Amino acid sequence: MAFFVAEFVLVMQLMWKHIDDIAGKGISLAIILELVFYFAVSIIYKAVPVTILIASVMVFGDLAERYELSSMKSAGVSLTRIFMGGIMISILTAGLSLFASNYLKPRATFKFLERMTAIKGQKLALNFQEGVFSKDFRNFAIRIGDIAENGRDIENVLIYDHSGQDKSKVNMLISKNGAMYASEVGSHFVMELGEGEQYREMKEKSPSKA
């Protein structure tokens, strides 16, 4: 019971972190459960120590509350013998945690990231909110004013390019219309822009010497 409680608490982190990537994309319940399963397997090594802690506090705390520990000590039973069962279970679960960390976690994490990448590429328009800057792309801040219902056509696009070495230089691109879509392979995001203008702050020339 303690293990499932720990798993449930840690899995909730998945929902809070990736809810924006999953919600509104028509993902079936089976795929969501598959994602939860892969994530749950990948965090077994984290849940096991918490499980041992919770179970030990519950079991030995209950024994102490009922004065059973005091009775066993009075009967001549040492604390080492009393805790021997918990120690053996801890050793077994440590082996399970090592196995999960070395073998289960890499495979489950790979499957989870593979599924999440496919989900993010299904409807790129949902990664953008109208009138809000998106910083999902490294060195680029993108704001889209209007997104068509087809999720492809866009209008009033504003892009700040910070890919240059000097981040203080302004490099801004404004476009009235365009389109965005995923490449055929699905590994690249493509944004085609139509009529617009680009403003770039050039390097100041040093004054020539007389």
Side-chain angles (χ1 to χ4, degrees), residues 1-206:
M1 183 182 67
F3 175 76
F4 286 112
V5 169
E7 281 279 322
F8 176 78
V9 173
L10 294 175
V11 165
M12 284 298 101
Q13 296 180 358
L14 166 70
M15 305 308 296
W16 287 111
K17 184 177 180 180
H18 297 285
I19 189 64
D20 293 335
D21 299 327
I22 298 175
K25 295 198 174 183
I27 307 302
S28 63
L29 180 60
I31 296 179
I32 294 177
L33 292 178
E34 184 180 358
L35 287 173
V36 172
F37 172 75
Y38 288 141
F39 187 77
V41 172
S42 66
I43 60 174
I44 288 179
Y45 75 101
K46 293 182 179 180
V48 168
V50 179
T51 300
I52 297 300
L53 177 62
I54 295 176
S56 300
V57 171
M58 292 176 62
V59 172
F60 294 108
D62 186 62
L63 291 176
E65 184 179 1
R66 299 180 181 181
Y67 300 102
E68 294 182 6
L69 287 178
S70 301
S71 301
M72 285 187 282
K73 288 238 0 172
S74 300
V77 181
S78 64
L79 284 177
T80 304
R81 185 176 178 183
I82 295 173
F83 293 137
M84 185 57 64
I87 294 173
M88 295 302 296
I89 293 176
S90 299
I91 294 175
L92 292 176
T93 51
L96 173 63
S97 179
L98 182 63
F99 172 79
S101 179
N102 290 339
Y103 296 97
L104 298 181
K105 179 191 173 183
R107 291 166 175 78
T109 302
F110 174 77
K111 289 291 186 179
F112 175 80
L113 294 177
E114 184 180 32
R115 279 293 188 181
M116 286 300 304
T117 302
I119 290 174
K120 289 181 179 179
Q122 286 187 4
K123 293 183 180 180
L124 293 171
L126 294 177
N127 292 336
F128 293 93
Q129 297 181 12
E130 293 183 352
V132 179
F133 278 97
S134 173
K135 298 182 180 179
D136 294 337
F137 304 92
R138 183 180 300 176
N139 297 325
F140 289 90
I142 304 175
R143 182 185 68 83
I144 299 177
D146 299 297
I147 303 175
E149 294 182 359
N150 58 12
R152 179 185 175 93
D153 299 328
I154 54 179
E155 296 179 356
N156 301 323
V157 181
L158 175 61
I159 301 176
Y160 283 98
D161 183 359
H162 300 290
S163 58
Q165 295 182 353
D166 190 352
K167 305 297 183 181
S168 63
K169 299 293 183 182
V170 176
N171 189 0
M172 180 176 62
L173 190 146
I174 301 175
S175 178
K176 294 182 179 180
N177 51 56
M180 62 180 182
Y181 54 90
S183 61
E184 295 181 358
V185 182
S187 59
H188 293 85
F189 172 75
V190 181
M191 179 176 287
E192 294 182 357
L193 301 178
E195 181 183 358
E197 299 174 344
Q198 183 176 10
Y199 300 92
R200 177 178 295 177
E201 185 179 356
M202 306 303 292
K203 184 178 180 181
E204 296 182 358
K205 295 182 178 181
S206 57

